[in-house]
Amino acid sequence: MAHLSARADTAYDNAYHHKLRGRLWGALSGTEYDERHDANEPPGFAYSNPFPPRDMRAGDERKLLVAAPEEPLLTHVVRDLQTERELNIGEMPFRVEDMSAFSPDVGEPGTRGTLETGTGLLVRIPPWRCDEYGIDHPGGDTAVFWRPEHTTEPLLNQLEANLDKKHGLFCPEYLPGPSDVEGELFDSYELIKTFAVPVQVTERETRTYVLSKWRFGYTVRDDDHRRHLNLALDCGLGERNSLGFGFVNVVEKQGPFGEPAPEVHGR
């Protein structure tokens, strides 16, 4: 977690994605993780927005979370932010005042809790699966952004397939992935909202993405399920995590015997 202080009175800039992504990839430049930049694969990290997300005065405090399943990757990011403490995220100028570390965990088997998608979830239905879900497709090769009228079935299938891919990349090969085990990732699904946001994806191109925010309830069944949910905390859910989408927090958690768990990190 980076502890930030605003360097000027500033309106909150919701178009922060491109600039913040650039700083994080810059921190990984020249490292063993640099080649992931153009690999068209999940990058193996996820990050929050600067929070709380509201206008600020000079000296106001904000926080930024960066997560990854590989500690050396986070070490590069921390080293970069400690070396160059000026952090300009879009139109928001910050100074990195401090860094702290923690290991979020959904909890041991039997733990019940809720994950919330802090930065919006990007899920696209590939054209070859639209007929299966009864989704009208405009034609061509373009994927369809998930919307509430598509029901949760395609959304959950795509989330599991995406997490399967991340499991194959970042977990030991001999361990079962989400689709290799019985049971669902989540017990319950609460849609908070859907929204569209224009995002600068390259220096010359801006695209509009349709995103959704969710609360997902869970009960940890066993160690495999725990690993799958923790992978979502480390890598993010859904697509385009390198743009800051799909970052998830544990917002509620109770241990197997109903005791409250203190490790909750809000956004």
Side-chain angles (χ1 to χ4, degrees):
M1 177 187 288
H3 302 261
L4 312 175
S5 64
R7 293 193 292 107
D9 297 357
T10 311
Y12 195 84
D13 182 5
N14 287 302
Y16 65 88
H17 305 81
H18 181 64
K19 293 292 186 183
L20 184 50
R21 176 183 62 170
R23 177 61 185 269
L24 295 177
W25 279 121
L28 301 175
S29 177
T31 74
E32 63 270 40
Y33 305 101
D34 194 10
E35 62 185 21
R36 295 181 187 175
H37 187 277
D38 299 316
N40 198 28
E41 297 276 6
F45 64 85
Y47 55 92
S48 73
N49 55 348
F51 62 93
R54 56 175 180 260
D55 297 348
M56 61 203 87
R57 305 291 299 268
D60 282 357
E61 298 179 356
R62 293 292 184 271
K63 293 181 174 59
L64 172 70
L65 289 165
V66 182
E70 297 161 297
E71 189 173 332
L73 186 152
L74 290 174
T75 299
H76 289 299
V77 173
V78 169
R79 187 175 296 143
D80 179 81
L81 292 176
Q82 288 179 329
T83 301
E84 176 50 64
R85 291 182 176 268
E86 185 175 323
L87 176 59
N88 298 316
I89 307 175
E91 299 300 322
M92 299 181 287
F94 294 107
R95 174 178 169 78
V96 179
E97 298 293 352
D98 197 8
M99 302 287 294
S100 57
F102 54 85
S103 299
D105 190 333
V106 295
E108 62 183 301
T111 301
R112 303 171 68 89
T114 303
L115 301 183
E116 185 170 305
T117 56
T119 57
L121 191 63
L122 175 62
V123 171
R124 292 178 290 190
I125 315 301
W128 57 87
R129 299 204 68 176
C130 284
D131 277 350
E132 175 186 344
Y133 299 129
I135 297 172
D136 290 333
H137 189 269
D141 298 328
T142 303
V144 176
F145 290 110
W146 181 88
R147 292 177 170 82
E149 58 266 31
H150 299 153
T151 76
T152 56
E153 181 187 3
L155 178 125
L156 297 176
N157 286 345
Q158 291 304 120
L159 286 182
E160 183 179 78
N162 179 272
L163 200 58
D164 259 336
K165 191 169 190 177
K166 291 165 180 167
H167 192 277
L169 290 169
F170 305 116
C171 294
E173 187 176 345
Y174 61 87
L175 295 174
S179 66
D180 296 323
V181 299
E182 296 290 334
E184 305 292 334
L185 279 171
F186 306 113
D187 299 335
S188 62
Y189 323 96
E190 180 188 350
L191 176 62
I192 302 171
K193 66 177 181 178
T194 58
F195 58 104
V197 58
V199 177
Q200 185 179 358
V201 293
T202 69
E203 289 294 336
R204 298 182 177 180
E205 183 180 6
T206 297
R207 296 180 185 175
T208 297
Y209 290 109
V210 178
L211 308 175
S212 53
K213 286 195 173 185
W214 292 83
R215 293 188 186 95
F216 296 118
Y218 69 85
T219 304
V220 181
R221 293 188 301 274
D222 50 32
D223 288 339
D224 289 327
H225 189 211
R226 181 181 190 177
R227 183 179 64 259
H228 301 156
L229 294 173
N230 281 337
L231 182 65
L233 291 176
D234 288 339
C235 291
L237 282 171
E239 302 176 57
R240 303 308 300 265
N241 307 122
S242 69
L243 277 170
F245 299 143
F247 186 83
V248 287
N249 297 307
V250 179
V251 294
E252 297 175 356
K253 192 166 72 171
Q254 278 197 328
F257 304 103
E259 71 276 22
E263 181 203 302
V264 172
H265 309 289
R267 176 200 63 82

